[in-house]
Amino acid sequence: LIQFMLGDFADKLRPINRLDLLDSVGQQALDYLSAQSGVNDAPSALSRARALRTLGEVRVTRQQFDPAREPLQQAAALLAPWRETADADAADVHFEAGTIAYWRGAIAYRQSDLDQTEVHWREYLAAAQRLQAAAPRDSRAPGELAAALSNLGTLAEGRDQFSSALDHFQQAATIRRQAVSSPQDRRNLDLANTLSWISRIHNNLGQPAQAWDAL
């Protein structure tokens, strides 16, 4: 039941921003998942890590940052042994590891711990790169890589490291342009968001003409 609620059911709640409905199962789910014995295969590790990550995500969406750390840390530890040995499940392992790293970084970012944010978001980028290497045709790979680069761009912008931020966002924009298949492709929205960041960075660098072009 916990695997369903923090798995398939959570996937239906996420698009409508109602993960908060799962808050009531939080501590019971964590207690249950933490009490389970070790895993002997990648699918089992993935299943439990996904549930723990969703629990952490639920807590982040409810601004419960400190309680969110424990399930996310457990999820990361569960997947660590499978990064190099997952074989057929390698792509899913790298995708899930990246998602976990993103949320751990998001907690640090919202608590203004930028050094720790960088640690986790660089791990997110590394996981996205491993996903692309393991499964270059996986449709998730370009989006994950672009998102990881954009996160590092946001972090650099927050540190007033505008040249570094611009480089990250420009890399992300290149990837997003290549992924867009038609004017109706919803990935145009991600590209537009990245271009708006590029415009903002150019403004910060005192480059209004380039900012206007990006906008």
Side-chain angles (χ1 to χ4, degrees):
L1 179 59
I2 286 173
Q3 294 287 359
F4 167 73
M5 294 189 73
L6 298 180
D8 294 340
F9 187 49
D11 289 341
K12 297 183 184 301
L13 293 175
R14 192 175 287 107
I16 57 174
N17 296 318
R18 289 312 309 270
L19 280 177
D20 59 293
L21 295 175
L22 297 175
D23 185 55
S24 61
V25 304
Q27 191 57 50
Q28 290 177 323
L30 181 59
D31 291 344
Y32 173 79
L33 292 166
S34 300
Q36 299 305 296
S37 58
V39 292
N40 298 316
D41 57 84
S44 297
L46 270 167
S47 180
R48 198 189 308 175
R50 184 186 184 206
L52 286 163
R53 184 260 299 169
T54 302
L55 180 55
E57 185 182 348
V58 169
R59 291 179 171 181
V60 172
T61 60
R62 294 184 63 81
Q63 311 292 309
Q64 299 169 348
F65 299 131
D66 289 332
R69 294 178 187 275
E70 182 181 355
L72 291 170
Q73 183 176 352
Q74 288 187 30
L78 271 172
L79 290 186
W82 302 100
R83 287 182 180 173
E84 305 299 330
T85 60
D87 298 327
D89 298 292
D92 290 334
V93 168
H94 298 321
F95 176 80
E96 189 60 45
T99 305
I100 293 165
Y102 163 75
W103 283 108
R104 297 180 78 186
I107 292 172
Y109 186 76
R110 294 188 191 187
Q111 294 185 324
S112 300
D113 186 349
L114 300 188
D115 289 340
Q116 196 60 41
T117 301
E118 182 173 7
V119 170
H120 293 308
W121 282 356
R122 287 203 176 277
E123 174 53 33
Y124 179 24
L125 176 61
Q129 291 169 334
R130 289 193 294 268
L131 170 60
Q132 186 178 53
R137 297 185 179 180
D138 192 309
S139 61
R140 299 171 295 182
E144 289 300 292
L145 192 55
L149 288 165
S150 293
N151 285 337
L152 289 172
T154 302
L155 175 61
E157 193 268 348
R159 288 171 158 172
D160 294 336
Q161 298 170 348
F162 300 123
S163 295
S164 177
L166 182 61
D167 179 60
H168 283 114
F169 282 120
Q170 286 177 333
Q171 289 185 62
T174 298
I175 294 169
R176 294 198 190 282
R177 278 195 184 93
Q178 294 171 346
V180 169
S181 61
S182 71
Q184 292 76 31
D185 191 331
R186 290 187 61 83
R187 285 173 292 190
N188 278 302
L189 296 174
D190 295 325
L191 175 58
N193 182 60
T194 303
L195 290 170
S196 73
W197 273 100
I198 290 174
S199 176
R200 174 174 171 168
I201 301 301
H202 277 304
N203 264 324
N204 287 329
L205 288 168
Q207 300 168 341
Q210 292 94 323
W212 177 255
D213 287 342
L215 198 56

